[in-house]
Amino acid sequence: MNSELRELPVEERIKLVEELWDSIASDQKTLPLTEEQKAELDRRLEAYKADGNRGRLASESISEIRRKL
């Protein structure tokens, strides 16, 4: 199968990867979190509650990145 995939144009391979990723993302609830992941999420939530900083809009971050390029 690997050789068959390599014969596809790059655009088609990218489309396949996107479709595969989307199918994984739609099934994400079936993947259990590890204890380490749960602990990290709890840590981040507590840090957010303590700080209260909501961050900034994605558009602001993207604009800043573009200015730096």
Side-chain angles (χ1 to χ4, degrees):
M1 183 170 166
N2 192 19
S3 62
E4 292 174 26
L5 290 175
R6 289 182 185 269
E7 292 176 13
L8 293 172
V10 172
E11 296 81 12
E12 270 188 66
R13 287 184 276 164
I14 290 172
K15 181 70 175 154
L16 285 171
V17 169
E18 289 173 344
E19 290 176 10
L20 181 59
W21 185 254
D22 289 345
S23 73
I24 292 169
S26 68
D27 291 339
Q28 67 183 339
K29 291 181 182 175
T30 63
L31 297 173
L33 294 175
T34 66
E35 290 305 315
E36 292 82 11
Q37 290 169 323
K38 290 176 186 176
E40 179 63 16
L41 289 172
D42 288 341
R43 184 193 68 76
R44 291 181 186 195
L45 182 58
E46 289 306 313
Y48 168 74
K49 287 178 181 177
D51 182 351
N53 183 346
R54 297 193 59 133
R56 60 185 177 169
L57 297 174
S59 59
E60 293 173 3
S61 298
I62 292 168
S63 293
E64 181 180 336
I65 291 168
R66 288 188 172 142
R67 280 194 306 272
K68 292 180 178 181
L69 293 178

